[in-house]
Every structure is written in structure tokens, then in C-alpha cells.
Amino acid sequence: YIVSGRVQAVGFRHFVHRAAVVEGLHGWVRNLPDGRVEIRAEGEAQALERFEWQVRQGPPASRVEDVEITDLGATGHDTGFT
């Protein structure tokens, strides 16, 4: 996922991390230099759907304007979410 809008310095990465852990997903989240946030998430399809809904909402201080989704295929690594 590439998320744009007001998504840095508003607790967005922490929000994403918490949502991913609750859904049992694996992957990571990081800020990009251009102000967007990049997310790599793997898990069960229904968990990913719930996660995507949460990402599109964001925390109260954020304003999600766009979410680009690219299916890169699963790596199969069970590494938690960072």
C-alpha cells in the first residue's frame, strides 16, 4: 500500500502497526521522503480486507486522500509486523 494525504507526524504508522497486529498480519510500515507512507502486509484475505478499511480511515489526526494497492505476492515469511 502507498498511502497519501496527511499521514506523517499524526500517529499513522503506530495506528497501522496496531491494526496489523490485531489482524495477525505480517510485514512493515515506513514513511517515504515525499510525505506518503508505504505498507507491506501479508495475511489471510479477510484480515487484509479489514486492515485496508482501517488504513483508509486512519487515526483521527490523519487525512487519508489516496491508497494505492499493488499485489506483490506473498513472501511467506512469518516475521511479525514492524
Side-chain angles (χ1 to χ4, degrees):
Y1 305 85
I2 302 291
V3 186
S4 58
R6 185 173 49 205
V7 292
Q8 289 191 16
V10 293
F12 194 83
R13 285 180 297 140
H14 178 71
F15 174 86
V16 167
H17 180 266
R18 187 174 54 238
V21 169
V22 166
E23 294 297 342
L25 303 178
H26 306 285
W28 46 262
V29 58
R30 66 181 176 186
N31 286 340
L32 295 175
D34 64 4
R36 299 179 301 166
V37 170
E38 181 177 21
I39 305 166
R40 173 73 188 239
E42 298 180 23
E44 295 181 9
Q46 289 181 338
L48 286 166
E49 287 177 16
R50 291 187 300 268
F51 175 74
E52 180 185 331
W53 184 86
Q54 293 177 71
V55 167
R56 289 183 183 280
Q57 305 311 304
S62 72
R63 186 182 70 245
V64 175
E65 294 176 357
D66 189 45
V67 179
E68 299 172 39
I69 302 170
T70 304
D71 186 352
L72 301 174
T75 64
H77 293 121
D78 181 2
T79 59
F81 199 92
T82 58

